[in-house]
Amino acid sequence: MPLPSSRLLNALAFLGCLLLMLAALYLEHVEGLEPCPLCIVQRICVLLFGLLCLAAALHNPQALGRRCYAGLAGLAAAGGLAAAWRQIWLQGIPPEELPACLPSLEYMLEALPFQDILRLVLHGTAECAEVKWTLLGMSIPEWSLLGFIGMLLLVAVQLLRRD
């Protein structure tokens, strides 16, 4: 069975990212779950991946362009996977070993240099370790990890296809 076109795969990936973002916004605005710093990083990675897939679907490049889009999308997915993995790790360590909570993002933007903000956000906090919601026994970062694995599989297909 032949692979679907690169354009179709990218359009479907964009729609998948759109659904992930709608689910995240539902959990935040309807269920009242505030995203932690690592959740925000994962959202940014989903947005980047989705926008790159949308651009690739609209542009519909040949082999070299397809690989460039896939490579950039792969970097976004790998960043999201790393953030989800870190959050899952934080959820598994004892509470007394967790890093302290961070000040608000607004305060950090006013008071700290960007590299310090980035380091603190990527390090994660006790807030990131809370399991506030589960579906089928899996937490939000565990579901995110599966999503990022799926994104990386799509990237592999796009990089390895011959047409």
Side-chain angles (χ1 to χ4, degrees):
M1 181 168 111
L3 282 174
S5 72
S6 178
R7 175 175 261 176
L8 178 61
L9 286 176
N10 281 314
L12 291 173
F14 168 74
L15 290 175
C17 289
L18 185 62
L19 290 174
L20 286 173
M21 288 308 302
L22 289 173
L25 293 171
Y26 170 83
L27 289 172
E28 180 180 353
H29 296 288
V30 176
E31 297 294 325
L33 299 178
E34 286 295 318
C36 73
L38 287 174
C39 293
I40 292 170
V41 170
Q42 291 168 61
R43 286 184 186 189
I44 291 168
C45 291
V46 169
L47 282 170
L48 286 172
F49 185 90
L51 290 174
L52 286 162
C53 288
L54 177 62
L58 294 173
H59 180 212
N60 197 27
Q62 297 303 312
L64 178 62
R66 183 175 58 239
R67 286 185 179 94
C68 288
Y69 279 116
L72 293 171
L75 291 174
L81 185 136
W85 190 274
R86 172 77 176 165
Q87 189 169 4
I88 292 166
W89 178 79
L90 286 170
Q91 289 177 345
I93 63 174
E96 62 274 3
E97 293 180 26
L98 291 170
C101 290
L102 294 175
S104 73
L105 185 59
E106 294 83 20
Y107 172 79
M108 288 193 299
L109 287 171
E110 291 176 9
L112 298 174
F114 181 75
Q115 64 270 18
D116 289 346
I117 296 170
L118 190 59
R119 182 183 50 78
L120 288 169
V121 167
L122 293 178
H123 188 260
T125 66
E127 178 186 11
C128 297
E130 286 184 57
V131 178
K132 300 176 186 175
W133 182 88
T134 61
L135 177 66
L136 302 174
M138 291 174 54
S139 66
I140 294 171
E142 290 169 329
W143 283 106
S144 294
L145 184 74
L146 289 179
F148 289 118
I149 289 170
M151 291 175 200
L152 288 171
L153 289 174
L154 176 79
V155 165
V157 166
Q158 294 289 49
L159 289 172
L160 297 174
R161 67 185 306 147
R162 298 274 183 223
D163 57 353

